[in-house]
Amino acid sequence: MDLTGDQQIFLIGFMGVGKTYLGEKLANQLEKDFYDVDREIEQHAKLDVNDIFKLKGEKTFREIESKILKNWDKMGIISTGGGIVELPENRKIFQSKKTIWLNPPWQIIKSRLLNSYRPLVLERSEDELYKLWYNRQDLYRECADIEFTKSEINDLLNLLS
Ligand code: S3P
């Protein structure tokens, strides 16, 4: 994958796949800027993600998320929220961009999620989380140019080289 020059490289994948962790490292290695769509949503709404869900609901969150993605103009490595692939218009946008799907095995994701404090995870059972992950696999696949199934930055750099 050609990663040189000014361009947008999107990272997609479920919660806990390491989009921020690997995204920051990748940006650092490639000397690019790093962005996170969730942070832009928070600035736009002047609320954090959990409060947007609590106070305004998921539909409003998805509307803001979609609007921000549609108008995205900054170059660099861009991490996205795990549910951004839910809306068909967002999937269409990813199909026209460079998009990397971070997809380590479910067992790894599960242990990371269960060991982290995420209100949106805490309110779901393990079974519900698995179903959400399972149902989104085809959506991520539809969007991605390339799938990364490991966890280390060096493996990602090798895959992309
Ligand atoms: C969501 C994932 C979150 C955030 C929001 C909804 C989801 O992002 O956008 O809580 O529906 O999977 P991360 O994948 O960065 O945790």
Side-chain angles (χ1 to χ4, degrees), residues 45-103:
K46 299 187 175 62
L47 287 171
D48 73 24
V49 167
N50 294 321
D51 282 340
I52 303 173
F53 268 74
K54 247 189 285 168
L55 301 172
K56 307 196 175 223
E58 177 163 357
K59 189 162 177 283
T60 301
F61 177 84
R62 297 286 168 223
E63 280 165 11
I64 306 171
E65 185 177 51
S66 197
K67 192 170 140 196
I68 285 177
L69 178 66
K70 200 168 90 194
N71 294 313
W72 195 272
D73 58 3
K74 296 192 257 305
M75 301 294 148
I77 307 293
I78 306 133
S79 170
T80 60
I84 201 165
V85 294
E86 298 265 348
L87 293 186
E89 60 262 38
N90 295 350
R91 299 203 291 279
K92 222 166 164 184
I93 292 175
F94 288 122
Q95 284 164 2
S96 69
K97 308 271 186 191
K98 274 191 188 153
T99 305
I100 303 169
W101 175 21
L102 305 185
N103 191 32

